Amino acid sequence: LNAATPATPASTAKIVTAIATLTVLDPTAVLTTRLVRGAPGDLVLVGGGDPTLRGTHPVRNGLGGGSLAELAKQVSGPVNRIVVDDSLYTGPRLGPQWKPGYVTDGDVAPVESLMVDGGRQGKDGPRSADPALQAGHQLASLLHVKTVVRGTAPTGAVEVGHVDHLESADDLLR
């Protein structure tokens, strides 16, 4: 299709992403998604950069080392509110050259340190415009909590639980 029109293949972008990732991260780095205590009744879901964290309705099998269900099993005591902390990454959430339809068409998700299933809302559907809040709402549904807000974990917060991404760096590029 359009054989005479030059285009950059997607796999080239994956190679650049892999090189950039290995430039700033140790190849054995573990991406950890944590749950910590916040204000009384608050449980803070802290994103550690794992886009393969599985949600309540995983859309792909075999990705990620952890799931929201595993996190929910580690919670004890009453929870009144889920606080979503996606503060690990700073900067723009969308690429400056991304077309407006990239998220709604399902091509990419906004870049956030907290998301489930790569920000997907379904197997072939659009990506979430706010993957971190989507993750928070899915955790809230598992814990039967109604309120989800954005915030940050308190310094020195007590960890309630965590899941790690222990798969190869190649999985981050899928």
Side-chain angles (χ1 to χ4, degrees):
L1 181 67
N2 301 323
T5 305
T8 303
S11 59
T12 301
K14 291 178 183 178
I15 292 169
V16 171
T17 301
I19 292 168
T21 300
L22 293 172
T23 300
V24 296
L25 289 178
D26 183 303
T28 61
V30 175
L31 305 178
T32 301
T33 304
R34 300 180 311 127
L35 283 174
V36 300
R37 290 280 174 208
D42 283 359
L43 190 60
V44 185
L45 178 59
V46 183
D50 182 3
T52 65
L53 180 69
R54 292 184 310 267
T56 54
H57 305 289
V59 296
R60 291 165 63 158
N61 295 325
L63 291 178
S67 70
L68 290 180
E70 292 173 64
L71 280 171
K73 289 178 186 175
Q74 298 175 52
V75 175
S76 63
V79 178
N80 299 325
R81 193 169 78 146
I82 300 294
V83 177
V84 171
D85 181 347
D86 63 345
S87 63
L88 179 64
Y89 298 161
T90 59
R93 296 173 63 235
L94 302 174
Q97 301 300 317
W98 287 2
K99 295 177 184 173
Y102 278 0
V103 174
T104 56
D105 291 344
D107 296 319
V108 297
V111 178
E112 295 188 355
S113 63
L114 176 61
M115 65 175 63
V116 292
D117 304 318
R120 291 173 181 82
Q121 295 186 62
K123 184 174 181 183
D124 296 315
R127 305 281 183 128
S128 173
D130 195 333
L133 281 180
Q134 175 190 8
H137 282 289
Q138 287 187 26
L139 178 62
S141 72
L142 289 168
L143 297 173
H144 309 290
V145 174
K146 293 183 181 184
T147 305
V148 177
V149 299
R150 187 179 306 281
T152 55
T155 303
V158 174
E159 185 174 288
V160 172
H162 72 273
V163 291
D164 295 328
H165 180 95
L166 299 172
E167 313 248 346
S168 70
D170 181 56
D171 288 337
L172 294 174
L173 305 175
R174 289 187 198 168

